[in-house]
Amino acid sequence: MILRTITLENFGLYAGRQTLDLVPGRDVEHDRPVVLIGGKNGAGKTTLLEAVRLALYGKRALGTRVGQTEYERHLASRVHVAADGTIPAIASVGLEFDYAEAGVVQRFRVERSWPTGSTRTVDKLALFKDDAPVTSVPPEEWAQFLQDLVPPGVSQFFFFDGEKIADIAHDGSHEGLAEAVRGLLGIELVGRLRVDLALYLARHSRHTDSAGAAKLETAEREFQALKRDVEAMSDEVVELEAAAARAAANVEDTKRRFFAEGGDAANKREKLDAAREEARSQLSRRAAELRELANGLLPLAVAPSLIGRIAHAIGASTDAAATREAEALRERLLAWRAVGEPEREAAWKPQHWRDIERFLANEATRPSSVGSILKSLPIADRHALLDAVGQVRDTVTPQASFLASELDAQTERLAAIEADLQRARSHGASSLAQELALAERQAEESEARLRTRIEEFRQLDFRRLTAERTLDKLTRAQNDAKAADGRATLAQRVGTALEQYEERLLEQKLVQLQRAFVSRFNHLSRKDDFIADARIDRATFETMLIDHSGREIPKSSLSAGEKQVYAIAMLWALARTSGRPLPMIIDTPLARLDLDHRTALVERYFPEASHQVIVLSTDTEIDEALLGKLGGSVSHAYRLDYDPKTRSTSVVPGYFDDGKEDDRALHQA
């Protein structure tokens, strides 16, 4: 698939009708797959990615359970409004792309438009093939036809932004990744067919009692109901996230107006906001470090006396020669007393000799107080335990004390900042100050509601996973049962074969995915051959890295830049393993990377990610130096210029300070 053009008409920040040529070129020596689109923050880069998804998927671009009313509100909100308040009569997004069908390349053009003056904002879909309306598919099925060409679940691995990268890079399992990957690799359909066959067996087997069949059907209904509830709550979480984002945006907008009128008080408020965020970050980081200690040896530090006795006991149990050495020292001392060599300078009295001899004799004969448990431990385990006790005394306890004091200090600092902020909010008792306080309170409430619903969603999803395991267990039991008639016997054999096929397909796909991931992670990492292998969990698709000595490297131990490389390598590997030749659209992928990792992505990822790579970047992500490294792979470039006077973005040829013209660059109406 090749994206040829994208057209935006009165959409978002784009006024009028603007068309970008996206066809990558090539020179005499090699292909130039990269089309570079530069724009500062807020210039409309993400709007381009949104337009691609909206043109292909319509309402589905917003989620699987978005209602028509919500979709219409979204379309109305995306209409460009001029600086003078003028609203155009129509808005639209369109794509032209080449797609191979049965080895023959066909040219499609899709346009989704909607009027702006009516009470209902209903979109109209137009689909053309080789400049003629598509007739092989009825118009009412055009939307499904487009989804079949480029399934939404697949496109998320080809059309993604920095938030998608951050989501996968985040420590812990990525919610929804497993389900999306199973669909991408074609495994989900096999599992669905197995369940259907099991239900058939339950209904038709003569040797299966009705109670078993009813139990399986009940499990299926419960699972499907929980699945629907999870999907509904997932949409609810998305809505709450959007509401929280709107509330946060409202806070920022109110702050800007407040700062414009607040003078010194506003400047102080801005510094206090920054200090509060920094204090919260420090508090969160220290709390995480303390939790990590608590998961390790810290609990032992609460009983220092007990730890001391354990250390003494271990020392006694591991030093079996101590008694013999004490006896030998006593004998040497007596010999020295008898012969006087080497010569003694002090005048030792008989009482001194008796005290020393009595002490050494006592040490040589003192019974051990070591318990039977310590005596039974191998010597290596005793040394390991002694080392752990030493860590508690020398490292863990001081570090815990330091972290506790840091937590207290940051908590006090945060409280002081909050108090200063409260005073700043009431400065002058202006209406803007009150408006800002209200906006911040609403933002905090939105965030609290979001956190609560996310926790409820996780609990519900856990129930869904439990129901899914129960259903799978009953399905396996049903497929193992012997059927009485020919049809049931055949269904049972097919069910068993499907189960084996699903296992082998999953194993094969995971092997391919692991190899592709390892290859691409090492290719992108600044540390050559950083990992030797990777293990991908069959259920969650959580990935564990393996080094060359066979040791596991948890994702949590990676640096921030390495986590970003991990996420990009996983997206790249998934795209390749899917076997679908789709273009890549990547929005602001470098914002969280250091220079070395940015250089690696520019040199090794963008030129190789796909046959067509559309990169949406700021001037700070791909600067002049990185542009020089990428230049040999760039077909052509655009710059998004936002004009605050007209409140609109124009697309012009070239990348920021690059003044070179490109004849194919822009057609603007």
Side-chain angles (χ1 to χ4, degrees), residues 190-204 216 475 478-479 487-488 490-499:
V190 180
R192 177 67 260 175
L193 185 55
R194 283 205 308 114
V195 172
D196 290 343
L197 280 171
L199 289 171
Y200 175 84
L201 281 172
R203 296 183 183 115
H204 293 83
L216 182 58
T475 300
Q478 187 62 54
N479 285 338
R487 291 178 302 171
L490 179 60
Q492 186 270 337
R493 290 169 58 190
V494 171
T496 303
L498 280 173
E499 181 179 345

PDB file of all heavy atoms in Angstrom, residues 190-204 216 475 478-479 487-488 490-499:
ATOM      1  N   VAL A 190      -8.941 -18.401  15.423  1.00  0.00           N
ATOM      2  CA  VAL A 190      -8.862 -19.837  15.692  1.00  0.00           C
ATOM      3  C   VAL A 190      -9.484 -20.155  17.052  1.00  0.00           C
ATOM      4  O   VAL A 190     -10.239 -21.114  17.204  1.00  0.00           O
ATOM      5  CB  VAL A 190      -7.390 -20.309  15.634  1.00  0.00           C
ATOM      6  CG1 VAL A 190      -7.306 -21.809  15.912  1.00  0.00           C
ATOM      7  CG2 VAL A 190      -6.788 -19.993  14.280  1.00  0.00           C
ATOM      8  N   GLY A 191      -9.189 -19.333  18.056  1.00  0.00           N
ATOM      9  CA  GLY A 191      -9.766 -19.548  19.374  1.00  0.00           C
ATOM     10  C   GLY A 191     -11.280 -19.426  19.372  1.00  0.00           C
ATOM     11  O   GLY A 191     -11.981 -20.192  20.039  1.00  0.00           O
ATOM     12  N   ARG A 192     -11.808 -18.463  18.613  1.00  0.00           N
ATOM     13  CA  ARG A 192     -13.254 -18.283  18.520  1.00  0.00           C
ATOM     14  C   ARG A 192     -13.908 -19.513  17.885  1.00  0.00           C
ATOM     15  O   ARG A 192     -14.971 -19.981  18.334  1.00  0.00           O
ATOM     16  CB  ARG A 192     -13.527 -17.040  17.681  1.00  0.00           C
ATOM     17  CG  ARG A 192     -14.977 -16.710  17.402  1.00  0.00           C
ATOM     18  CD  ARG A 192     -15.708 -16.317  18.645  1.00  0.00           C
ATOM     19  NE  ARG A 192     -16.498 -17.440  19.166  1.00  0.00           N
ATOM     20  CZ  ARG A 192     -17.162 -17.418  20.282  1.00  0.00           C
ATOM     21  NH1 ARG A 192     -17.134 -16.358  21.039  1.00  0.00           N
ATOM     22  NH2 ARG A 192     -17.850 -18.454  20.674  1.00  0.00           N
ATOM     23  N   LEU A 193     -13.276 -20.089  16.883  1.00  0.00           N
ATOM     24  CA  LEU A 193     -13.807 -21.274  16.221  1.00  0.00           C
ATOM     25  C   LEU A 193     -13.789 -22.479  17.162  1.00  0.00           C
ATOM     26  O   LEU A 193     -14.716 -23.294  17.169  1.00  0.00           O
ATOM     27  CB  LEU A 193     -12.992 -21.568  14.961  1.00  0.00           C
ATOM     28  CG  LEU A 193     -13.485 -22.717  14.067  1.00  0.00           C
ATOM     29  CD1 LEU A 193     -14.935 -22.512  13.671  1.00  0.00           C
ATOM     30  CD2 LEU A 193     -12.603 -22.841  12.833  1.00  0.00           C
ATOM     31  N   ARG A 194     -12.754 -22.568  17.993  1.00  0.00           N
ATOM     32  CA  ARG A 194     -12.696 -23.665  18.971  1.00  0.00           C
ATOM     33  C   ARG A 194     -13.870 -23.594  19.941  1.00  0.00           C
ATOM     34  O   ARG A 194     -14.482 -24.615  20.278  1.00  0.00           O
ATOM     35  CB  ARG A 194     -11.384 -23.611  19.761  1.00  0.00           C
ATOM     36  CG  ARG A 194     -10.184 -24.119  19.012  1.00  0.00           C
ATOM     37  CD  ARG A 194      -9.095 -24.614  19.963  1.00  0.00           C
ATOM     38  NE  ARG A 194      -8.741 -23.664  20.983  1.00  0.00           N
ATOM     39  CZ  ARG A 194      -8.967 -23.844  22.280  1.00  0.00           C
ATOM     40  NH1 ARG A 194      -9.601 -24.928  22.706  1.00  0.00           N
ATOM     41  NH2 ARG A 194      -8.594 -22.935  23.162  1.00  0.00           N
ATOM     42  N   VAL A 195     -14.189 -22.401  20.423  1.00  0.00           N
ATOM     43  CA  VAL A 195     -15.310 -22.250  21.356  1.00  0.00           C
ATOM     44  C   VAL A 195     -16.621 -22.635  20.674  1.00  0.00           C
ATOM     45  O   VAL A 195     -17.468 -23.322  21.259  1.00  0.00           O
ATOM     46  CB  VAL A 195     -15.372 -20.806  21.887  1.00  0.00           C
ATOM     47  CG1 VAL A 195     -16.644 -20.586  22.695  1.00  0.00           C
ATOM     48  CG2 VAL A 195     -14.151 -20.509  22.748  1.00  0.00           C
ATOM     49  N   ASP A 196     -16.804 -22.218  19.432  1.00  0.00           N
ATOM     50  CA  ASP A 196     -18.038 -22.561  18.710  1.00  0.00           C
ATOM     51  C   ASP A 196     -18.179 -24.073  18.547  1.00  0.00           C
ATOM     52  O   ASP A 196     -19.270 -24.630  18.690  1.00  0.00           O
ATOM     53  CB  ASP A 196     -18.040 -21.877  17.342  1.00  0.00           C
ATOM     54  CG  ASP A 196     -18.205 -20.367  17.461  1.00  0.00           C
ATOM     55  OD1 ASP A 196     -18.633 -19.912  18.541  1.00  0.00           O
ATOM     56  OD2 ASP A 196     -17.893 -19.648  16.492  1.00  0.00           O
ATOM     57  N   LEU A 197     -17.069 -24.742  18.238  1.00  0.00           N
ATOM     58  CA  LEU A 197     -17.120 -26.198  18.094  1.00  0.00           C
ATOM     59  C   LEU A 197     -17.431 -26.872  19.425  1.00  0.00           C
ATOM     60  O   LEU A 197     -18.168 -27.872  19.477  1.00  0.00           O
ATOM     61  CB  LEU A 197     -15.780 -26.715  17.551  1.00  0.00           C
ATOM     62  CG  LEU A 197     -15.585 -26.572  16.038  1.00  0.00           C
ATOM     63  CD1 LEU A 197     -14.154 -26.902  15.659  1.00  0.00           C
ATOM     64  CD2 LEU A 197     -16.543 -27.478  15.276  1.00  0.00           C
ATOM     65  N   ALA A 198     -16.871 -26.341  20.510  1.00  0.00           N
ATOM     66  CA  ALA A 198     -17.152 -26.909  21.824  1.00  0.00           C
ATOM     67  C   ALA A 198     -18.636 -26.777  22.165  1.00  0.00           C
ATOM     68  O   ALA A 198     -19.239 -27.691  22.733  1.00  0.00           O
ATOM     69  CB  ALA A 198     -16.289 -26.217  22.878  1.00  0.00           C
ATOM     70  N   LEU A 199     -19.237 -25.645  21.821  1.00  0.00           N
ATOM     71  CA  LEU A 199     -20.680 -25.468  22.048  1.00  0.00           C
ATOM     72  C   LEU A 199     -21.480 -26.460  21.211  1.00  0.00           C
ATOM     73  O   LEU A 199     -22.496 -27.012  21.664  1.00  0.00           O
ATOM     74  CB  LEU A 199     -21.076 -24.029  21.716  1.00  0.00           C
ATOM     75  CG  LEU A 199     -20.577 -22.954  22.695  1.00  0.00           C
ATOM     76  CD1 LEU A 199     -20.853 -21.567  22.136  1.00  0.00           C
ATOM     77  CD2 LEU A 199     -21.258 -23.124  24.050  1.00  0.00           C
ATOM     78  N   TYR A 200     -21.027 -26.697  19.984  1.00  0.00           N
ATOM     79  CA  TYR A 200     -21.703 -27.685  19.138  1.00  0.00           C
ATOM     80  C   TYR A 200     -21.643 -29.067  19.779  1.00  0.00           C
ATOM     81  O   TYR A 200     -22.638 -29.799  19.840  1.00  0.00           O
ATOM     82  CB  TYR A 200     -21.047 -27.704  17.761  1.00  0.00           C
ATOM     83  CG  TYR A 200     -21.599 -28.782  16.839  1.00  0.00           C
ATOM     84  CD1 TYR A 200     -22.758 -28.558  16.097  1.00  0.00           C
ATOM     85  CD2 TYR A 200     -20.961 -30.011  16.726  1.00  0.00           C
ATOM     86  CE1 TYR A 200     -23.261 -29.539  15.264  1.00  0.00           C
ATOM     87  CE2 TYR A 200     -21.459 -31.000  15.905  1.00  0.00           C
ATOM     88  CZ  TYR A 200     -22.611 -30.759  15.169  1.00  0.00           C
ATOM     89  OH  TYR A 200     -23.118 -31.735  14.355  1.00  0.00           O
ATOM     90  N   LEU A 201     -20.452 -29.439  20.271  1.00  0.00           N
ATOM     91  CA  LEU A 201     -20.310 -30.736  20.923  1.00  0.00           C
ATOM     92  C   LEU A 201     -21.214 -30.843  22.150  1.00  0.00           C
ATOM     93  O   LEU A 201     -21.830 -31.879  22.396  1.00  0.00           O
ATOM     94  CB  LEU A 201     -18.841 -30.948  21.340  1.00  0.00           C
ATOM     95  CG  LEU A 201     -17.862 -31.376  20.236  1.00  0.00           C
ATOM     96  CD1 LEU A 201     -16.445 -31.346  20.777  1.00  0.00           C
ATOM     97  CD2 LEU A 201     -18.200 -32.770  19.729  1.00  0.00           C
ATOM     98  N   ALA A 202     -21.268 -29.743  22.911  1.00  0.00           N
ATOM     99  CA  ALA A 202     -22.079 -29.773  24.130  1.00  0.00           C
ATOM    100  C   ALA A 202     -23.551 -30.005  23.826  1.00  0.00           C
ATOM    101  O   ALA A 202     -24.265 -30.634  24.604  1.00  0.00           O
ATOM    102  CB  ALA A 202     -21.902 -28.460  24.889  1.00  0.00           C
ATOM    103  N   ARG A 203     -23.998 -29.497  22.684  1.00  0.00           N
ATOM    104  CA  ARG A 203     -25.423 -29.609  22.341  1.00  0.00           C
ATOM    105  C   ARG A 203     -25.767 -30.934  21.668  1.00  0.00           C
ATOM    106  O   ARG A 203     -26.920 -31.353  21.694  1.00  0.00           O
ATOM    107  CB  ARG A 203     -25.822 -28.454  21.433  1.00  0.00           C
ATOM    108  CG  ARG A 203     -25.710 -27.075  22.087  1.00  0.00           C
ATOM    109  CD  ARG A 203     -26.188 -25.981  21.155  1.00  0.00           C
ATOM    110  NE  ARG A 203     -26.017 -24.662  21.753  1.00  0.00           N
ATOM    111  CZ  ARG A 203     -25.203 -23.732  21.286  1.00  0.00           C
ATOM    112  NH1 ARG A 203     -24.493 -23.960  20.200  1.00  0.00           N
ATOM    113  NH2 ARG A 203     -25.101 -22.563  21.887  1.00  0.00           N
ATOM    114  N   HIS A 204     -24.771 -31.597  21.029  1.00  0.00           N
ATOM    115  CA  HIS A 204     -25.097 -32.750  20.196  1.00  0.00           C
ATOM    116  C   HIS A 204     -24.513 -34.071  20.684  1.00  0.00           C
ATOM    117  O   HIS A 204     -24.869 -35.121  20.172  1.00  0.00           O
ATOM    118  CB  HIS A 204     -24.612 -32.510  18.759  1.00  0.00           C
ATOM    119  CG  HIS A 204     -25.339 -31.413  18.056  1.00  0.00           C
ATOM    120  ND1 HIS A 204     -24.997 -30.083  18.205  1.00  0.00           N
ATOM    121  CD2 HIS A 204     -26.413 -31.439  17.222  1.00  0.00           C
ATOM    122  CE1 HIS A 204     -25.808 -29.336  17.474  1.00  0.00           C
ATOM    123  NE2 HIS A 204     -26.692 -30.117  16.881  1.00  0.00           N
ATOM    124  N   LEU A 216     -21.273 -25.060  30.092  1.00  0.00           N
ATOM    125  CA  LEU A 216     -20.414 -24.456  29.079  1.00  0.00           C
ATOM    126  C   LEU A 216     -21.096 -23.243  28.451  1.00  0.00           C
ATOM    127  O   LEU A 216     -20.462 -22.192  28.247  1.00  0.00           O
ATOM    128  CB  LEU A 216     -20.072 -25.484  28.001  1.00  0.00           C
ATOM    129  CG  LEU A 216     -19.142 -25.008  26.878  1.00  0.00           C
ATOM    130  CD1 LEU A 216     -17.822 -24.511  27.438  1.00  0.00           C
ATOM    131  CD2 LEU A 216     -18.908 -26.125  25.873  1.00  0.00           C
ATOM    132  N   THR A 475     -13.947 -25.640  27.563  1.00  0.00           N
ATOM    133  CA  THR A 475     -13.832 -25.950  26.130  1.00  0.00           C
ATOM    134  C   THR A 475     -12.900 -27.119  25.901  1.00  0.00           C
ATOM    135  O   THR A 475     -13.190 -28.042  25.123  1.00  0.00           O
ATOM    136  CB  THR A 475     -13.317 -24.711  25.376  1.00  0.00           C
ATOM    137  OG1 THR A 475     -14.242 -23.636  25.555  1.00  0.00           O
ATOM    138  CG2 THR A 475     -13.180 -25.004  23.890  1.00  0.00           C
ATOM    139  N   GLN A 478     -14.583 -30.301  26.947  1.00  0.00           N
ATOM    140  CA  GLN A 478     -15.614 -30.723  25.998  1.00  0.00           C
ATOM    141  C   GLN A 478     -14.987 -31.325  24.747  1.00  0.00           C
ATOM    142  O   GLN A 478     -15.462 -32.323  24.215  1.00  0.00           O
ATOM    143  CB  GLN A 478     -16.488 -29.528  25.618  1.00  0.00           C
ATOM    144  CG  GLN A 478     -17.695 -29.895  24.778  1.00  0.00           C
ATOM    145  CD  GLN A 478     -18.628 -30.836  25.529  1.00  0.00           C
ATOM    146  OE1 GLN A 478     -19.044 -30.550  26.633  1.00  0.00           O
ATOM    147  NE2 GLN A 478     -18.932 -31.967  24.930  1.00  0.00           N
ATOM    148  N   ASN A 479     -13.901 -30.714  24.273  1.00  0.00           N
ATOM    149  CA  ASN A 479     -13.238 -31.240  23.080  1.00  0.00           C
ATOM    150  C   ASN A 479     -12.584 -32.584  23.341  1.00  0.00           C
ATOM    151  O   ASN A 479     -12.351 -33.358  22.414  1.00  0.00           O
ATOM    152  CB  ASN A 479     -12.188 -30.238  22.577  1.00  0.00           C
ATOM    153  CG  ASN A 479     -12.803 -29.056  21.877  1.00  0.00           C
ATOM    154  OD1 ASN A 479     -13.930 -29.129  21.405  1.00  0.00           O
ATOM    155  ND2 ASN A 479     -12.078 -27.946  21.823  1.00  0.00           N
ATOM    156  N   ARG A 487     -21.195 -36.754  13.304  1.00  0.00           N
ATOM    157  CA  ARG A 487     -20.997 -35.308  13.234  1.00  0.00           C
ATOM    158  C   ARG A 487     -20.243 -34.801  14.452  1.00  0.00           C
ATOM    159  O   ARG A 487     -19.321 -33.999  14.346  1.00  0.00           O
ATOM    160  CB  ARG A 487     -22.345 -34.601  13.119  1.00  0.00           C
ATOM    161  CG  ARG A 487     -23.053 -34.822  11.787  1.00  0.00           C
ATOM    162  CD  ARG A 487     -24.397 -34.138  11.773  1.00  0.00           C
ATOM    163  NE  ARG A 487     -25.244 -34.637  12.868  1.00  0.00           N
ATOM    164  CZ  ARG A 487     -26.409 -34.116  13.215  1.00  0.00           C
ATOM    165  NH1 ARG A 487     -26.878 -33.076  12.576  1.00  0.00           N
ATOM    166  NH2 ARG A 487     -27.110 -34.632  14.215  1.00  0.00           N
ATOM    167  N   ALA A 488     -20.650 -35.266  15.637  1.00  0.00           N
ATOM    168  CA  ALA A 488     -19.980 -34.826  16.850  1.00  0.00           C
ATOM    169  C   ALA A 488     -18.545 -35.320  16.897  1.00  0.00           C
ATOM    170  O   ALA A 488     -17.640 -34.622  17.369  1.00  0.00           O
ATOM    171  CB  ALA A 488     -20.746 -35.304  18.079  1.00  0.00           C
ATOM    172  N   LEU A 490     -16.614 -35.866  14.339  1.00  0.00           N
ATOM    173  CA  LEU A 490     -15.839 -35.014  13.434  1.00  0.00           C
ATOM    174  C   LEU A 490     -15.572 -33.647  14.068  1.00  0.00           C
ATOM    175  O   LEU A 490     -14.456 -33.116  13.999  1.00  0.00           O
ATOM    176  CB  LEU A 490     -16.590 -34.841  12.113  1.00  0.00           C
ATOM    177  CG  LEU A 490     -15.900 -33.947  11.065  1.00  0.00           C
ATOM    178  CD1 LEU A 490     -14.539 -34.508  10.689  1.00  0.00           C
ATOM    179  CD2 LEU A 490     -16.785 -33.813   9.822  1.00  0.00           C
ATOM    180  N   ALA A 491     -16.605 -33.085  14.712  1.00  0.00           N
ATOM    181  CA  ALA A 491     -16.428 -31.790  15.360  1.00  0.00           C
ATOM    182  C   ALA A 491     -15.387 -31.874  16.468  1.00  0.00           C
ATOM    183  O   ALA A 491     -14.574 -30.963  16.663  1.00  0.00           O
ATOM    184  CB  ALA A 491     -17.759 -31.309  15.928  1.00  0.00           C
ATOM    185  N   GLN A 492     -15.419 -33.036  17.223  1.00  0.00           N
ATOM    186  CA  GLN A 492     -14.439 -33.207  18.289  1.00  0.00           C
ATOM    187  C   GLN A 492     -13.031 -33.279  17.727  1.00  0.00           C
ATOM    188  O   GLN A 492     -12.092 -32.677  18.264  1.00  0.00           O
ATOM    189  CB  GLN A 492     -14.779 -34.471  19.089  1.00  0.00           C
ATOM    190  CG  GLN A 492     -13.921 -34.677  20.326  1.00  0.00           C
ATOM    191  CD  GLN A 492     -12.670 -35.491  20.043  1.00  0.00           C
ATOM    192  OE1 GLN A 492     -12.636 -36.249  19.077  1.00  0.00           O
ATOM    193  NE2 GLN A 492     -11.664 -35.320  20.874  1.00  0.00           N
ATOM    194  N   ARG A 493     -12.874 -33.985  16.602  1.00  0.00           N
ATOM    195  CA  ARG A 493     -11.541 -34.105  15.983  1.00  0.00           C
ATOM    196  C   ARG A 493     -11.074 -32.754  15.451  1.00  0.00           C
ATOM    197  O   ARG A 493      -9.904 -32.387  15.603  1.00  0.00           O
ATOM    198  CB  ARG A 493     -11.595 -35.141  14.867  1.00  0.00           C
ATOM    199  CG  ARG A 493     -11.771 -36.567  15.360  1.00  0.00           C
ATOM    200  CD  ARG A 493     -12.078 -37.522  14.224  1.00  0.00           C
ATOM    201  NE  ARG A 493     -11.030 -37.501  13.222  1.00  0.00           N
ATOM    202  CZ  ARG A 493     -11.121 -38.084  12.020  1.00  0.00           C
ATOM    203  NH1 ARG A 493     -12.241 -38.715  11.693  1.00  0.00           N
ATOM    204  NH2 ARG A 493     -10.119 -38.026  11.174  1.00  0.00           N
ATOM    205  N   VAL A 494     -12.017 -32.031  14.852  1.00  0.00           N
ATOM    206  CA  VAL A 494     -11.646 -30.704  14.350  1.00  0.00           C
ATOM    207  C   VAL A 494     -11.273 -29.778  15.513  1.00  0.00           C
ATOM    208  O   VAL A 494     -10.313 -29.009  15.425  1.00  0.00           O
ATOM    209  CB  VAL A 494     -12.805 -30.099  13.529  1.00  0.00           C
ATOM    210  CG1 VAL A 494     -12.515 -28.645  13.193  1.00  0.00           C
ATOM    211  CG2 VAL A 494     -13.015 -30.893  12.247  1.00  0.00           C
ATOM    212  N   GLY A 495     -12.047 -29.861  16.622  1.00  0.00           N
ATOM    213  CA  GLY A 495     -11.732 -29.031  17.782  1.00  0.00           C
ATOM    214  C   GLY A 495     -10.357 -29.326  18.339  1.00  0.00           C
ATOM    215  O   GLY A 495      -9.590 -28.418  18.679  1.00  0.00           O
ATOM    216  N   THR A 496     -10.017 -30.624  18.425  1.00  0.00           N
ATOM    217  CA  THR A 496      -8.684 -31.000  18.905  1.00  0.00           C
ATOM    218  C   THR A 496      -7.603 -30.504  17.949  1.00  0.00           C
ATOM    219  O   THR A 496      -6.558 -29.992  18.371  1.00  0.00           O
ATOM    220  CB  THR A 496      -8.592 -32.524  19.050  1.00  0.00           C
ATOM    221  OG1 THR A 496      -9.623 -32.980  19.944  1.00  0.00           O
ATOM    222  CG2 THR A 496      -7.232 -32.935  19.596  1.00  0.00           C
ATOM    223  N   ALA A 497      -7.882 -30.664  16.641  1.00  0.00           N
ATOM    224  CA  ALA A 497      -6.902 -30.189  15.653  1.00  0.00           C
ATOM    225  C   ALA A 497      -6.726 -28.675  15.725  1.00  0.00           C
ATOM    226  O   ALA A 497      -5.607 -28.155  15.619  1.00  0.00           O
ATOM    227  CB  ALA A 497      -7.348 -30.602  14.249  1.00  0.00           C
ATOM    228  N   LEU A 498      -7.848 -27.964  15.918  1.00  0.00           N
ATOM    229  CA  LEU A 498      -7.759 -26.502  16.032  1.00  0.00           C
ATOM    230  C   LEU A 498      -6.970 -26.093  17.267  1.00  0.00           C
ATOM    231  O   LEU A 498      -6.200 -25.125  17.235  1.00  0.00           O
ATOM    232  CB  LEU A 498      -9.161 -25.889  16.087  1.00  0.00           C
ATOM    233  CG  LEU A 498      -9.880 -25.739  14.746  1.00  0.00           C
ATOM    234  CD1 LEU A 498     -11.315 -25.281  14.979  1.00  0.00           C
ATOM    235  CD2 LEU A 498      -9.154 -24.753  13.850  1.00  0.00           C
ATOM    236  N   GLU A 499      -7.173 -26.832  18.366  1.00  0.00           N
ATOM    237  CA  GLU A 499      -6.418 -26.514  19.581  1.00  0.00           C
ATOM    238  C   GLU A 499      -4.924 -26.679  19.339  1.00  0.00           C
ATOM    239  O   GLU A 499      -4.110 -25.834  19.717  1.00  0.00           O
ATOM    240  CB  GLU A 499      -6.876 -27.419  20.716  1.00  0.00           C
ATOM    241  CG  GLU A 499      -6.161 -27.139  22.031  1.00  0.00           C
ATOM    242  CD  GLU A 499      -6.655 -28.030  23.154  1.00  0.00           C
ATOM    243  OE1 GLU A 499      -7.718 -28.651  22.984  1.00  0.00           O
ATOM    244  OE2 GLU A 499      -5.975 -28.099  24.179  1.00  0.00           O
TER     245      GLU A 499
END
